[in-house]
Amino acid sequence: MPTALDTLTATFHEASAPDFLPAPQLRALQFDRLHAVVQRTYDNVLLYRARMSERGLTPQDLRSLDDLPALPFTTKADLRDTYPFGLFASPMREIVRLHASSGTTGKPIVVAYTRADVEIWTSVMVRSFAACGLHQGDIIQNAYGYGLFTGGLGAHYGAEGLGATVIPISGGNTDRQIQVMQDFGVTAICCTPSYFLHLVDRAAVMGIDIHSLPLRTGIFGAEPWTESMRRHIESASGIQAFDIYGLSEIIGPGVAIECPCHDGLHIFEDHFYPEIIDPDTGHSLPPGAEGELVLTTLSKHAMPMIRYRTRDITALIDKPCPCGRSLRRMRRIGRRSDDMLIIRGVNVFPSQIEAALLAVEGTLPHYQIILTRSHGLDDMEVHVEVTPGVFSDKVGALEGLQTRLTRSIEHILGIRADIRLVAPNTLQRSEGKAKRVIDRRSC
Ligand code: DLL
């Protein structure tokens, strides 16, 4: 008679088996799938056929995975230019779902799924949750937004596919989130890391100590966050925080996930083939080098992506992971090539400012960067919340902290920022992706 543990172990092994494929088998599978997907896009999508023809290429020219860099890139501009349905490779009657991402500028982009695509998406989310140690019996509060954003439904189908209990609470309504977390005995939560911090702060105000609840795991993604942020989250809540990565254009959440070793994110390479390129030249970079992540979907039907330039900056880790997964890992995404700010000629990424702020004791991971221009010169103001203890300190202590923060930023970035210390809970919170930068330079 199998025990409950045997059943759980069997479920884990069945769902996660592709994570452990021996490398030669994985490479062979990738090549077969790559060939099929390139053929499919060539046959069904005008843009891909035209781009390949311009280079005198046909799918038959692809003889190994090493030939992939010969194919042209796909970019977000291609999605916008073919808005709404121009990159679909399946007829509309086979498409069972559309999602959209508003992006920061201009037209939204639309992404499509056939039934088989939804099944693949579910399977990678099941594998993601399993890698975080979740299983049947877990109660998962899904606070990613439901709707056109892929976070809500992606995590929902994955949680159900795992056999866990899912609470489809979506984002927002913070007090209710905390009540539900307490009353329903929630064991895992999915949301952006910045929203989770907001939940922790709000719980404290409501007199609820998250440490005392059954909550043990957080699956956080959809926005960049740092190691210091992870430490802050874990010590403020007592949970284990996992980083999950994905993007609408490729599938949504479930492209890559951390395992309990927390040393990079395993890419579900049997479905998403990664390359790293130099964002300026477009040339492929060797293993270990930092650059822009380019992804090719190997098994998507409705809207395959060939060599999609994600703009996310990372590096592939080629060393085996102690967890035994053969899937290659990528370093956490700290920045995007297009979120770089140029301030007085210096290249600045918001994540560097986060790291500089959190390196100084007394600050909280709630901050906003405000850029203005006066007399042709850029000014950077950084508003940062400080801990209640520090805030009630004497003026001298606050001034000391301000000086330490100015120095920390100057040390990391080489430029001066005007630091404004603000009371806890004063900066606006987001229920989804945090808005860190307000750029008023063109106003
Ligand atoms: O954010 C999908 C998602 C939902 C991922 C829930 C994880 C959890 P988009 O709205 O299309 O899709 O935004 C994709 O968000 O290119 C990255 O720049 C950023 N991003 C996503 N996950 C992470 C992460 C969803 N773990 C864009 N770390 C991506 C850093 C992330 N950035």
Side-chain angles (χ1 to χ4, degrees):
M1 186 62 182
T3 63
L5 184 64
D6 290 339
T7 314
L8 278 182
T9 314
T11 317
F12 173 82
H13 282 305
E14 202 185 304
S16 303
D19 297 8
F20 299 91
L21 273 185
Q25 225 172 304
L26 177 59
R27 299 287 166 251
L29 176 73
Q30 285 174 321
F31 180 67
D32 284 350
R33 288 184 171 172
L34 178 67
H35 201 273
V37 80
V38 169
Q39 184 72 56
R40 189 176 162 67
T41 53
Y42 187 81
D43 292 343
N44 296 292
V45 185
L46 211 63
L47 180 125
Y48 286 115
R49 192 187 189 98
R51 291 251 171 98
M52 283 181 66
S53 303
E54 271 167 27
R55 298 184 172 207
L57 293 170
T58 70
Q60 275 53 54
D61 293 313
L62 205 63
R63 294 201 185 82
S64 78
L65 287 170
D66 296 338
D67 294 332
L68 182 58
L71 297 186
F73 293 119
T74 312
T75 65
K76 197 157 203 147
D78 294 327
L79 280 121
R80 293 216 175 96
D81 295 347
T82 55
Y83 176 86
F85 302 155
L87 291 186
F88 291 7
S90 300
M92 208 61 193
R93 64 173 185 282
E94 287 174 17
I95 288 171
V96 300
R97 179 100 64 82
L98 298 174
H99 280 278
S101 139
S102 56
T104 42
T105 51
K107 273 191 249 169
I109 55 145
V110 179
V111 294
Y113 305 76
T114 62
R115 196 167 298 285
D117 293 334
V118 172
E119 276 163 21
I120 289 167
W121 191 11
T122 301
S123 76
V124 287
M125 282 306 296
V126 168
R127 287 160 69 185
S128 301
F129 285 138
C132 303
L134 303 189
H135 44 67
Q136 222 175 0
D138 269 305
I139 302 179
I140 304 180
Q141 180 162 347
N142 184 14
Y144 283 123
Y146 281 64
L148 289 178
F149 176 55
T150 52
L153 282 176
H156 183 102
Y157 274 58
E160 279 194 0
L162 185 73
T165 307
V166 58
I167 305 171
I169 194 161
S170 194
N173 214 338
T174 305
D175 289 5
R176 183 139 187 260
Q177 298 263 0
I178 294 158
Q179 203 65 56
V180 161
M181 188 185 289
Q182 185 178 42
D183 295 349
F184 296 5
V186 166
T187 57
I189 185 160
C190 304
C191 59
T192 56
S194 56
Y195 188 56
F196 184 68
L197 277 176
H198 180 40
L199 286 173
V200 173
D201 292 349
R202 187 68 203 152
V205 174
M206 289 166 71
I208 296 170
D209 179 8
I210 295 208
H211 284 93
S212 67
L213 304 181
L215 188 73
R216 64 168 208 283
T217 307
I219 299 101
F220 303 128
E223 64 183 11
W225 52 307
T226 55
E227 273 308 306
S228 333
M229 176 85 111
R230 189 211 302 275
R231 281 195 294 276
H232 183 91
I233 285 176
E234 292 188 339
S235 72
S237 65
I239 69 164
Q240 205 184 143
F242 289 83
D243 193 359
I244 184 164
Y245 169 77
L247 62 165
S248 324
E249 298 89 315
I250 296 302
I251 203 151
V255 171
I257 187 77
E258 275 183 348
C259 67
C261 301
H262 297 288
D263 184 18
L265 290 81
H266 291 278
I267 302 170
F268 291 112
E269 274 193 272
D270 47 332
H271 295 296
F272 316 112
Y273 189 82
E275 297 170 80
I276 300 289
I277 61 158
D278 178 326
D280 297 323
T281 63
H283 294 151
S284 302
L285 292 175
E290 188 180 84
E292 180 181 338
L293 177 67
V294 169
L295 290 168
T296 297
T297 62
L298 297 177
S299 40
K300 270 224 337 241
H301 292 77
M303 206 173 125
M305 283 284 133
I306 308 290
R307 303 198 78 208
Y308 184 70
R309 290 190 62 161
T310 65
R311 300 278 166 197
D312 291 321
I313 303 292
T314 182
L316 294 182
I317 307 171
D318 233 5
K319 281 193 301 226
C321 181
C323 78
R325 282 179 179 74
S326 49
L327 304 170
R328 276 178 295 175
R329 287 166 292 159
M330 65 179 205
R331 296 252 163 256
R332 72 186 312 143
I333 307 279
R335 58 195 174 95
R336 290 176 55 82
S337 61
D338 53 6
D339 71 6
M340 186 178 79
L341 305 163
I342 303 181
I343 302 169
R344 297 188 178 207
V346 178
N347 298 347
V348 174
F349 288 96
S351 56
Q352 291 174 299
I353 295 185
E354 179 174 310
L357 295 176
L358 292 182
V360 178
E361 202 164 328
T363 53
L364 294 169
H366 298 292
Y367 63 96
Q368 206 153 42
I369 302 159
I370 295 152
L371 301 174
T372 50
R373 181 167 287 156
S374 61
H375 309 297
L377 274 186
D378 297 334
D379 287 314
M380 173 166 64
E381 242 178 51
V382 178
H383 295 195
V384 57
E385 288 185 10
V386 295
T387 56
V390 169
F391 201 72
S392 53
D393 261 350
K394 297 196 189 71
V395 177
L398 285 173
E399 277 172 0
L401 178 59
Q402 208 163 16
T403 312
R404 285 196 295 284
L405 287 169
T406 310
R407 280 207 200 112
S408 179
I409 290 187
E410 221 169 347
H411 177 68
I412 292 187
L413 297 170
I415 53 170
R416 263 188 90 80
D418 188 4
I419 304 283
R420 299 276 163 93
L421 303 180
V422 299
N425 275 310
T426 45
L427 294 178
Q428 177 152 20
R429 303 292 195 257
S430 156
E431 291 161 3
K433 298 177 192 256
K435 185 160 174 48
R436 302 291 190 198
V437 181
I438 300 176
D439 195 342
R440 299 200 180 115
R441 288 179 293 181
S442 54
C443 297

